[in-house]
Amino acid sequence: MDRRDPFRHNVLTSGHRACSGCGEAMAARMVSDLIGPDAIYINATGCLQVFTTHNQQSAWQAPWIHSVFANAAAVASGVEAALRAQRKKTPVVVQAGDGGTFDIGLQCLSGMIERGHDVLFVCYDNEAYMNTGVQRSSSTPHAVHTTTSPPGRVSQGKRHLKKDLISIIAAHNMPYAATATIAYFPDLKAKVEKAMGITGPRFLHLLSPCPLGWAHDSALSVSVSRLAVETGLFPLVELEHGELTGVMRLAEQKPVEAYLRPQGRFKHLFDSKEGGVELRHLQALADARIRRYGLLETDTQWDTHSAMQSARHGRGGYASPMSTVEALNSDA
Amino acid sequence: MTPKLEIEPGSSNAYHTGAWRTQQPVYYDKWPPCSQTCPASEDIQSWLAHATEQQWQAAWRKLTERNPFPATMGRICYHPCESACNRKHLDSAVNIHAMERYLGDMALVQGWRHQVLHETPQVQRVAIIGAGPAGLSCAFQLARRGYPVTIFDAQATPGGTLRSGIPSYRLPKSVLASEIDAILALGIELRLNSRVGVEVSESDLLDAFDATFLAIGTQRPRLYSESSGQDNGTTPSHSVMSGIDFLYRLNRGEAMQLPKQVAVVGGGNTAIDVARCARRLGAAVTLLCPQDPHGSHHHDLGTEMPASQQEVVEAETEGVNLRYRVGVRRLVRSGEHLSGVEIAHVDRVHDRHGHFNPVLFAGTEEFIPAGLAIFAIGQEADWQGLGYLSQVGEAEGVWIGGDAASQAKLAVTAVGSGYKAAMSMMATFKNEALLFDARKKTKITYKKMQLHYYPKQSRHEGKVSEARLSGFTEVVKGLVDDNAKHEAKRCLSCGVCFECDNCWHFCPDAAVIKKEGGYTIDYDYCKGCGICAQECPCGHIEMEPVTD
Ligand SMILES: Cc1cc2nc3c(=O)[nH]c(=O)nc-3n(C[C@H](O)[C@H](O)[C@H](O)COP(=O)(O)OP(=O)(O)OC[C@H]3O[C@@H](n4cnc5c(N)ncnc54)[C@H](O)[C@@H]3O)c2cc1C
Ligand SMILES: Cc1ncc(C[n+]2csc(CCOP(=O)(O)OP(=O)(O)O)c2C)c(N)n1
Ligand code: SF4
Ligand code: SF4
Ligand code: SF4
Ligand code: SF4
Ligand SMILES: [Mg+2]
């Protein structure tokens, strides 16, 4: 048991095999430390599952099961029903990539929500099938270069648009669905805590940059995720029973180019006239999202500046770490 | 019966991902531009950090390690530190001098005493010539470390030019006197009315002391000569005077009667002080400045006037009439009395060799009526009676500092030179190498910081007195308590960790460990991604190549 850090559990501990600078590893580390070790984690197939449980060595310091690629939400439904039958209150958390959520896992997820299971589903969206070598998914944004959507004569990267998943989820009369990302820890923390306080199905959609698949410098994972929000391409929103109940206002709208430039997956857009058209298309998509969610005018608790401000002696950490670590020790 | 697991999973901790690394993060305390620029090398970040926690006495102690004059410097220093402050790239510089003054004033009110660092007395005796900021700073550093120190000064009161030159509306005499008393309380001997070379001979001094610090300042005014504009001749009279004589007399408490109109010549801080004092004595004042105004100087020829911009603004506010790029052609007299000065456009003040040699353009003459012309055109060290000391150096046990030695004639430069001389002397006494701060090696600019992590906050200022021209009472007030608390928090802590938790939150590998009072990197697992360094707001983390 890793007890190096007196201020958090390290539910997802060191020694995992994620690439250097992996945004998915960072996101999962934050989420699992906010929830704590007293929960059951179910993981769909994908990078997170593979890099945390390599070679019979687990990075999880909490109960954890690997389902298969498609059925994580179904496994979670079963676990939750069994706990309910035993009158146990242990939280159940599903973790899946965008492939395991937007594509192959969508049917099981829809069923889990529709049946009202008390489960938090967390999608770590790195916008492609990364674990198998960067294939496009229905979450891959328009014009992105993946191994199955190479730029060429026919298209400048992926021809189709990114699926609007949060609207599909919200349309289930969903108690709580929200988007978040690693760059805004206080916002992420507030959303995880809010989700954990609600009974019933809940959904968190976390943008998780992938230095390998997005081809950006490993040091830039946080910066890139911040720019996704600041440009309007990835709006941070909360939806309760289908209604928009919260947005992160943009203190200042950045041009999409600021987000696209550092990423190799958009490099081809800067090399040709056709690419230039797609740049304008992506800017128009960002503008449309900003209009749709009122990201420039809505009066909100915080905005993209205030939500990331540092303070002396931290910005508040993880849920009651000492008590849980002590509890863990007494179990052992 | 519970079925037995075929495989018992182990922990990933057994696998050291640190082996993947090609670069690694290292925490470094760096040296911010404020401290780099402060001529006294104050550790500004550090004392502001104490102030942020409202540990006022600790802040004052940290500050006075390098500068025992916070109440004084907080008032009169032109604060080059603030021009360098990284915060100006976010909104506006931290009001460092106001915080310095706040701490200095608090120390005077609370009666805080300086601490002696070494209880055991040292043997080497040090003579200091001049009780200005340079001499007092040197004496302070030596006395704190147990050395017996004697200061000689020609004047009847200590303080040097701070006392004799600077008007009390900028620095009340009582503030300076209290800070000097606190320094002398360390057990320093002060011999007043003792001009070395006159009342005390050089040889007596050299016999009695192991080392000497020359801090004689620049007390001799450069005078205006009507024949050549050169530095010789004209004796002061009731209608022509030097700026420092005027200020010395005023600061000694002499009641001065001025004519209705006064012309002040010069572009430095002394000229501005003279002009503002003359305004307070009721005269209409024209300042004849040979240089260009701030921000609009002629790039080929002229230079910007040397006076601090803030002082110029104050002078204008108080009704001083400023004329730029003008020089004095001649003094216009009627009998004994001065009726005014004839001025003309100055093309150039100094010649190619840097000598004062103004070129005035014919046909641009103008008459400025004035019953008194005060020349504040520079001053120099008075070496009278110091023939031997002026020739020798550190090898002979003689150090020099302050205005007598430096180009930048600033009080805080004098303080810094006193510190350096004391350190150098002590290293010589102990036969040790002189050590400099390790932190100074790594500098930090705003480009290496992430300014977007800091909230914007406007700067707090001291209030300006309404009744400014009615006498010599202090013009600028200190910060009120609440503002001081907030102003301290505006410091970005450039290059020094302020425990924001960013590196700890963002490390994807849980390789940053948070402990009470700090963070460590667990190199067994750090993959060297560089996120921690990238997202550290203050640039405390450096990525270095892995060598082995
Ligand atoms: C009008 C005026 C305004 C100024 N305003 C500012 C300001 O606002 N901010 C700022 O930073 N700087 C200011 N300065 C500059 C500042 O005062 C000087 O840089 C500083 O005082 C220099 O310190 P010092 O210790 O080298 O010399 P001084 O302060 O000049 O002290 C030298 C001392 O040595 C004594 N002395 C000289 N010869 C002998 C001898 N042979 N034997 C014994 N004693 C001797 C003198 O009596 C004097 O007390 C101003 C200067 C002037 C003239
Ligand atoms: C039914 C099935 N089809 C294909 C695979 C191969 N496979 C494993 S992981 C993966 C991609 C996972 O993508 P995503 O869910 O986005 O997670 P990521 O690796 O990007 O985090 C695929 C296609 C599989 N394990 N099972
Ligand atoms: S491929 Fe991407 S998501 Fe997978 S471990 Fe590497 S960085 Fe993380
Ligand atoms: S922000 Fe603070 S540490 Fe940085 S330069 Fe300004 S005063 Fe110095
Ligand atoms: S964020 Fe973590 S893994 Fe990356 S360089 Fe820093 S300590 Fe190493
Ligand atoms: S990121 Fe924050 S906690 Fe880490 S070194 Fe920088 S200032 Fe300190
Ligand atoms: Mg994926």
Side-chain angles (χ1 to χ4, degrees):
Chain A
M1 184 64 64
D2 156 27
R3 293 190 201 99
R4 289 170 301 163
D5 201 316
F7 291 95
R8 75 183 173 209
H9 326 285
N10 284 342
V11 171
L12 173 48
T13 184
S14 307
H16 63 70
R17 271 57 153 194
C19 304
S20 179
C22 174
E24 186 168 274
M26 190 195 301
R29 228 219 61 245
M30 286 174 172
V31 168
S32 58
D33 269 346
L34 286 166
I35 294 169
D38 304 324
I40 295 175
Y41 293 87
I42 290 121
N43 224 128
T45 312
C47 269
L48 181 62
Q49 165 256 323
V50 171
F51 72 63
T52 56
T53 52
H54 191 79
N55 198 20
Q56 294 168 44
Q57 291 173 342
S58 174
W60 296 101
Q61 308 204 77
W64 182 90
I65 324 166
H66 172 212
S67 62
V68 290
F69 196 17
N71 70 350
V75 170
S77 303
V79 170
E80 185 265 339
L83 288 168
R84 192 156 17 96
Q86 297 172 51
R87 300 183 188 287
K88 285 191 179 157
K89 294 232 179 282
T90 311
V92 179
V93 181
V94 182
Q95 310 188 95
D98 49 293
T101 308
F102 285 63
D103 294 344
I104 196 170
L106 186 58
Q107 177 269 123
C108 291
L109 170 58
S110 178
M112 180 198 96
I113 301 171
E114 185 269 334
R115 293 188 301 274
H117 288 285
D118 185 19
V119 173
L120 171 65
F121 191 108
V122 187
C123 170
Y124 298 106
D125 182 7
N126 52 21
E127 303 191 323
Y129 290 55
M130 295 308 180
N131 188 58
T132 41
V134 199
Q135 294 84 22
R136 57 88 85 193
S137 75
S138 62
S139 167
T140 305
H142 181 63
V144 164
H145 177 179
T146 68
T147 52
T148 49
S149 64
R153 258 185 315 107
V154 182
S155 70
Q156 292 298 311
K158 184 179 161 181
R159 207 174 337 142
H160 315 96
L161 301 179
K162 183 181 173 90
K163 187 186 280 181
D164 180 9
L165 186 73
I166 197 82
S167 299
I168 299 172
I169 301 294
H172 287 70
N173 187 27
M174 183 71 171
Y176 186 67
T179 57
T181 190
I182 51 176
Y184 297 95
F185 179 76
D187 176 68
L188 174 60
K189 178 176 151 89
K191 285 169 178 168
V192 170
E193 282 170 359
K194 183 163 182 183
M196 293 311 284
I198 293 171
T199 309
R202 292 140 287 151
F203 181 80
L204 285 179
H205 178 187
L206 305 194
L207 186 70
S208 312
C210 165
L212 180 100
W214 297 16
H216 59 73
D217 190 299
S218 62
L220 295 183
S221 293
V222 173
S223 312
V224 157
S225 77
R226 180 188 310 129
L227 284 163
V229 177
E230 288 175 328
T231 52
L233 280 171
F234 192 80
L236 298 190
V237 300
E238 289 177 290
L239 295 139
E240 294 175 50
H241 296 287
E243 293 295 328
L244 185 66
T245 55
V247 305
M248 168 94 74
R249 187 159 51 85
L250 308 189
E252 174 199 357
Q253 182 189 353
K254 299 244 169 95
V256 291
E257 192 181 332
Y259 172 67
L260 307 177
R261 275 273 183 205
Q263 302 181 49
R265 63 177 177 156
F266 293 108
K267 185 175 170 293
H268 57 285
L269 300 185
F270 296 96
D271 297 341
S272 69
K273 219 168 85 193
E274 296 78 13
V277 177
E278 297 300 11
L279 285 179
R280 295 198 294 280
H281 190 168
L282 289 168
Q283 183 61 58
L285 284 169
D287 295 343
R289 281 170 208 167
I290 289 171
R291 272 197 304 279
R292 172 171 173 194
Y293 290 110
L295 298 184
L296 288 174
E297 60 274 356
T298 311
D299 188 17
T300 53
Q301 182 195 352
W302 47 39
D303 62 28
T304 47
H305 278 170
S306 62
M308 60 180 285
Q309 278 156 11
S310 306
R312 191 168 279 273
H313 306 313
R315 12 162 125 201
Y318 302 94
S320 56
M322 288 314 266
S323 61
T324 324
V325 171
E326 274 152 26
L328 273 174
N329 293 349
S330 59
D331 280 0
Chain B
M1 198 186 82
T2 330
K4 214 173 137 49
L5 277 175
E6 288 289 328
I7 305 162
E8 277 297 330
S11 165
S12 63
N13 286 164
Y15 184 77
H16 288 181
T17 50
W20 302 3
R21 196 166 66 232
T22 58
Q23 54 167 5
Q24 63 190 23
V26 181
Y27 291 120
Y28 276 117
D29 276 348
K30 297 180 185 167
W31 196 237
C34 52
S35 293
Q36 256 172 68
T37 318
C38 170
S41 299
E42 280 179 29
D43 193 344
I44 295 163
Q45 174 280 324
S46 174
W47 61 256
L48 280 172
H50 285 302
T52 302
E53 310 279 356
Q54 296 179 38
Q55 297 160 348
W56 304 112
Q57 197 181 28
W60 177 78
R61 292 214 180 284
K62 188 77 204 167
L63 195 171
T64 53
E65 277 178 13
R66 290 301 174 92
N67 182 352
F69 290 102
T72 301
M73 296 301 155
R75 286 173 166 81
I76 60 113
C77 184
Y78 300 119
H79 42 78
C81 53
E82 290 178 25
S83 325
C85 174
N86 280 329
R87 176 134 203 152
K88 72 172 183 232
H89 300 283
L90 177 66
D91 39 38
S92 51
V94 176
N95 198 336
I96 301 170
H97 76 282
M99 287 305 300
E100 185 169 80
R101 169 177 174 170
Y102 183 80
L103 292 172
D105 285 353
M106 186 180 279
L108 296 181
V109 171
Q110 303 286 333
W112 293 335
R113 300 171 67 89
H114 295 296
Q115 287 168 339
V116 178
L117 304 177
H118 294 291
E119 288 299 340
T120 42
Q122 307 285 331
V123 289
Q124 290 90 348
R125 295 171 49 82
V126 179
I128 292 176
I129 311 179
L136 287 164
S137 159
C138 182
F140 170 76
Q141 298 298 347
L142 291 164
R144 270 175 21 117
R145 292 168 176 84
Y147 289 89
V149 179
T150 305
I151 309 180
F152 298 86
D153 198 289
Q155 301 199 31
T157 336
T161 305
L162 298 184
R163 204 198 130 78
S164 62
I166 298 181
S168 45
Y169 62 83
R170 291 207 287 128
L171 174 61
K173 301 280 173 272
S174 60
V175 170
L176 177 65
S178 307
E179 287 202 315
I180 293 175
D181 287 346
I183 295 170
L184 296 175
L186 287 165
I188 295 161
E189 187 190 0
L190 174 64
R191 293 208 209 146
L192 295 168
N193 301 309
S194 309
R195 178 175 290 275
V196 176
V198 180
E199 281 95 357
V200 182
S201 79
E202 282 189 314
S203 53
D204 286 354
L205 190 98
L206 292 165
D207 287 346
F209 294 92
D210 297 285
T212 306
F213 181 49
L214 272 170
I216 58 171
T218 50
Q219 305 281 318
R220 223 160 65 96
R222 201 169 285 153
L223 299 175
Y224 173 74
S225 152
E226 291 187 45
S227 54
S228 64
Q230 293 291 311
D231 162 25
N232 56 21
T234 314
T235 30
S237 69
H238 69 280
S239 59
V240 182
M241 218 185 271
S242 81
I244 46 173
D245 277 339
F246 171 79
L247 292 169
Y248 284 7
R249 287 165 61 183
L250 203 59
N251 278 317
R252 268 203 307 267
E254 203 176 299
M256 293 179 87
Q257 292 290 326
L258 297 189
K260 280 207 192 71
Q261 289 162 316
V262 172
V264 181
V265 184
N269 288 311
T270 306
I272 301 272
D273 276 343
V274 170
R276 293 179 67 189
C277 284
R279 283 292 295 138
R280 283 171 170 72
L281 296 172
V285 180
T286 306
L287 187 81
L288 304 171
C289 170
Q291 295 95 350
D292 289 295
H294 289 276
S296 67
H297 62 279
H298 191 292
H299 288 280
D300 294 336
L301 298 167
T303 44
E304 218 167 48
M305 67 190 298
S308 110
Q309 188 160 14
Q310 190 192 328
E311 286 287 308
V312 175
V313 171
E314 300 278 350
E316 279 176 330
T317 314
E318 292 170 7
V320 174
N321 177 26
L322 277 112
R323 296 292 309 273
Y324 295 99
R325 281 199 89 84
V326 291
V328 177
R329 168 85 76 202
R330 65 189 180 99
L331 300 177
V332 183
R333 296 183 188 277
S334 79
E336 285 264 294
H337 297 279
L338 188 74
S339 50
V341 290
E342 188 180 293
I343 59 169
H345 179 94
V346 171
D347 182 51
R348 195 191 63 192
V349 182
H350 298 277
D351 62 21
R352 268 189 290 130
H353 312 289
H355 299 304
F356 180 73
N357 190 8
V359 172
L360 304 177
F361 278 163
T364 62
E365 291 78 5
E366 205 179 316
F367 177 73
I368 303 287
L372 170 66
I374 307 178
F375 287 84
I377 52 175
Q379 47 197 92
E380 56 203 19
D382 183 354
W383 292 103
Q384 190 205 343
L386 302 175
Y388 173 75
L389 287 169
S390 68
Q391 303 295 323
V392 294
E394 292 175 15
E396 291 82 13
V398 178
W399 278 257
I400 182 165
D403 275 6
S406 80
Q407 281 302 309
K409 310 276 187 228
L410 291 178
V412 68
T413 312
V415 170
S417 76
Y419 173 86
K420 285 189 201 106
M423 291 297 140
S424 166
M425 273 181 197
M426 289 186 285
T428 307
F429 294 155
K430 294 185 190 151
N431 210 358
E432 285 171 356
L434 193 55
L435 285 178
F436 283 107
D437 302 85
R439 268 175 67 186
K440 280 195 180 173
K441 290 191 193 119
T442 39
K443 301 180 174 175
I444 176 88
T445 65
Y446 75 99
K447 288 187 185 137
K448 296 201 105 183
M449 298 168 63
Q450 300 297 332
L451 294 185
H452 49 247
Y453 278 117
Y454 298 95
K456 288 197 173 153
Q457 277 161 8
S458 49
R459 172 178 156 119
H460 304 85
E461 305 280 359
K463 269 222 174 68
V464 173
S465 161
E466 299 294 333
R468 56 198 306 173
L469 274 183
S470 65
F472 284 79
T473 49
E474 197 165 19
V475 172
V476 183
K477 303 265 174 280
L479 290 179
V480 298
D481 294 346
D482 209 38
N483 285 355
K485 286 174 197 159
H486 284 105
E487 192 58 26
K489 291 192 179 137
R490 291 182 73 238
C491 174
L492 308 175
S493 192
C494 305
V496 181
C497 176
F498 60 104
E499 299 178 27
C500 76
D501 285 349
N502 267 9
C503 51
W504 182 60
H505 278 311
F506 287 140
C507 174
D509 289 277
V512 175
I513 311 292
K514 177 170 166 161
K515 295 263 162 67
E516 209 61 69
Y519 310 78
T520 51
I521 289 166
D522 190 339
Y523 291 110
D524 281 348
Y525 302 109
C526 164
K527 292 172 186 160
C529 67
I531 290 176
C532 51
Q534 176 71 30
E535 300 303 329
C536 174
C538 70
H540 179 60
I541 307 175
E542 211 56 49
M543 294 305 293
E544 294 182 341
V546 175
T547 41
D548 40 277

